[in-house]
Amino acid sequence: MISVSLKWIAEQVEGRLIGSDCTIDAVSTDTRADLTDALFIALKGKNFDAHDFVEQAIAKGAAAIICEKKVDSECRQIIVENSRHALGRLGAAIKAKVAPKTVAVTGSNGKTTVKEMLAAILSIRHPVLATQGNFNNDIGVPLTLLRLQEEHKYAVVELGANHPGEISYTTDLVKPDVAILNNVSAAHVEGFGSLHGVARAKTEIFRGVGGQGTAITPRDSEFYPCWQRACSDMQWKTFGLSDSADVYASDVTLNSEGHPSFTLHLGGETKQLELKLSGRHNVLNALSAAAAASELGISLNDIANGLQQVQPAQGRLTTIKVSDHLRIIDDTYNASVASTKAALDLLGSYQGYRIFVLGDMGELGADARAYHEDIGEHAIGSGIDNLYSLGVLSQSASEVFNGHGGKHFGSLQSLVESVLQRLTEQTGKQPVTVLVKGSRSAHMERVVAAIQQAVTVSDSVEDKHAC
């Protein structure tokens, strides 16, 4: 964080300073972090109260604390009515003081990928601050803003939400110059009541855009009329796969690894490029990032160069070559209906024997089973050979797929054994590709690790026999 005085911080968070002034250049909400000379903010939640750890923060070297009640200590204190809101106010104040050109990104799917694409494009010529990990909620967004330094010319901030009003709050902190609504699909439906509730909540991102700001949305969406109304009094650009969009792609193809090539059309210019990411859906993510970068005045050459530098993140359609006969597509970071269908489309593009391993997709509300049945139908249309499920809800997908090789498993071990059996049967015939997908709560990364370990052990034993 940039260096500011404790007195300035007290003014920004509307708090009462107790003790002398000092300079602060680090803020933390975690007593496990290095708190030497830092400002510690004691947050309160439904199941925790960091005020219980204030003495620990002071013992670890905190220079000052923000809290909701006076602590019996000589440590400098800023007393506020709500420490969570104080964190937000401070993040917003730091952002306003540094004043980088800022892009906010939300959507049901792909927002992290778009964020990484934009960061890669913008960092070609200037330092960029970008959201790390999943710091995209009402706590993570201000913590991201507090990482700003004077040299940051750009900031790319990811905004997530699981209930109405959350994006409105975080957008007001960020006050973006460009706001991207990447897409709307069945994700976190439980917290929004319906798919239309998701759309309404995501549209909150446009309320915090300044008069000179720009909204970016997909052109081909059932919610396009909704976005027309929401963006009627601001600059607005669209992206898509047809020339009805302001920024679009043509001539989309996938190579043998599933990496897309396409022609990017932007502002009357064109550029041919190939992504290192897998899946046709990443073309739309690239178009979204390109549209935003263009609004910041970035050249088409820099946009193309940045997009082509982006590498896949772990657990996000990461291709793992386990052996000469087996490829695993690890897409276990999270799952929604749209992202699962996109992953299935990628699996269907590979040659050879194809197995889909599905864990439960979470937070889909009352229609969760119907959404999982829809995935089973999509898997049939993708032409894959087996659908193996692990989890209560995912069983609905394998039941739909049953006549085509669907099967539900009650344990990780039995599922892995079945995959290995299929691999053995196909050895010498054709390669096997296994897609593993599920929400974070399903912990499907265990399946990836178990298959890798089993194949590695098996290959090691065969090598010893060969010797």
Side-chain angles (χ1 to χ4, degrees), residues 69-100:
K69 55 187 176 183
K70 188 176 183 301
V71 177
D72 186 15
S73 170
E74 294 183 1
C75 182
R76 301 174 184 90
Q77 302 171 42
I78 297 176
I79 312 302
V80 296
E81 184 175 336
N82 186 305
S83 57
R84 205 179 188 104
H85 292 166
L87 172 64
R89 290 189 184 106
L90 182 55
I94 292 295
K95 190 269 176 178
K97 194 173 182 66
V98 177

Side-chain angles (χ1 to χ4, degrees), residues 149-171:
Q149 299 289 346
E150 293 289 358
E151 65 265 23
H152 287 131
K153 183 173 181 178
Y154 298 107
V156 185
V157 186
E158 181 180 328
L159 308 184
N162 55 24
H163 62 270
E166 188 169 5
I167 290 177
S168 180
Y169 173 73
T170 52
T171 305

